[in-house]
Amino acid sequence: MAYRQTDKVAARLAETRAGILDAARGLVAEGGFAAVQMSEVARKAGVATGTLYRYFSSKEALCREVFREVSSREMGKLAEIALSDEPASERLVEVLRTFAGRAVRGRRLAYALLAEPVDVNLAEERAFFRRTHADIFARILEDGIENGELPEIDVKIAAACIAGAIPTALIGPLAPQSHELDRNADRVVEQIVKFCLAGVGITLAAGAVNTRERRTVA
């Protein structure tokens, strides 16, 4: 007779898996992916090390799942903003501030996701999510061009530039040995936002968004 997993067993397995991911994510937030050791993850999750390997075949597999989970969560927040009914200029500003602002507030985890030296598997995940970031920016830029808020630009190139500029600009400030964000966190975020907006023909001044077409979003 074939074994059939009951709902209760399935729920318990899912709960254990979630606990393992929570423990691993906590270690990444404290010390980056280099801090993830299977024995320590097991201890924090309250399971035996052998049990850990029933869910994840290796540290690499576990780290990859943590990367996907956290990145997907962050991406979902940006995508939700991008799909709102606000004018494209406002959505772009909000996505930029959200992206950079959340990175600044969760600096150690953000550094691990954006800049920490990683193996080829995590590098592939990082590249995938950077492309997804670019798709989110491209969607907003296309809307802005279509409705006349933004000047005509090469959307694909502009979106890729923005998606690459933000992590690059944050590498130094987010680095564990840096103290820049202790003093200038808000300024770092605003400078990133202004630079990215200027690249697509928008200037940010006096709390308003102004395009080169002289249209203003209050």
Side-chain angles (χ1 to χ4, degrees), residues 27-38 59 63 108 112 116-118 122:
L27 289 171
V28 175
E30 293 170 7
F33 287 103
V36 178
Q37 301 299 323
M38 296 298 264
K59 171 186 171 178
C63 286
R108 192 60 188 85
E116 180 182 341
V118 292
L122 289 185

Side-chain angles (χ1 to χ4, degrees), residues 199-213:
V200 298
I202 300 174
T203 57
L204 188 63
V209 178
N210 305 303
T211 71
R212 289 176 185 163
E213 271 72 18

Side-chain angles (χ1 to χ4, degrees), residues 76-86 91 95 136 139-140 143:
K77 295 180 183 299
L78 301 183
E80 184 178 355
I81 296 169
L83 292 172
S84 73
D85 295 328
E86 299 297 325
R91 280 182 281 150
V95 166
I136 291 172
R139 187 180 307 125
I140 299 173
D143 288 348

Side-chain angles (χ1 to χ4, degrees), residues 136-172:
I136 291 172
F137 291 122
R139 187 180 307 125
I140 299 173
L141 296 178
E142 287 171 350
D143 288 348
I145 293 170
E146 184 177 345
N147 65 29
E149 286 184 69
L150 301 178
E152 290 286 343
I153 55 175
D154 187 312
V155 168
K156 185 175 181 180
I157 292 177
C161 286
I162 294 173
I166 299 175
T168 301
L170 287 171
I171 287 175

Side-chain angles (χ1 to χ4, degrees), residues 62-82:
L62 175 57
C63 286
R64 189 163 189 164
E65 188 61 28
V66 170
F67 194 105
R68 286 176 176 173
E69 181 190 59
V70 177
S71 295
S72 294
R73 182 188 65 203
E74 296 300 314
M75 207 74 62
K77 295 180 183 299
L78 301 183
E80 184 178 355
I81 296 169

Side-chain angles (χ1 to χ4, degrees), residues 101-123:
R102 287 180 65 82
V104 165
R105 289 192 296 274
R107 56 188 293 185
R108 192 60 188 85
L109 180 59
Y111 182 80
L113 295 174
L114 298 174
E116 180 182 341
V118 292
D119 65 26
V120 64
N121 289 324
L122 289 185

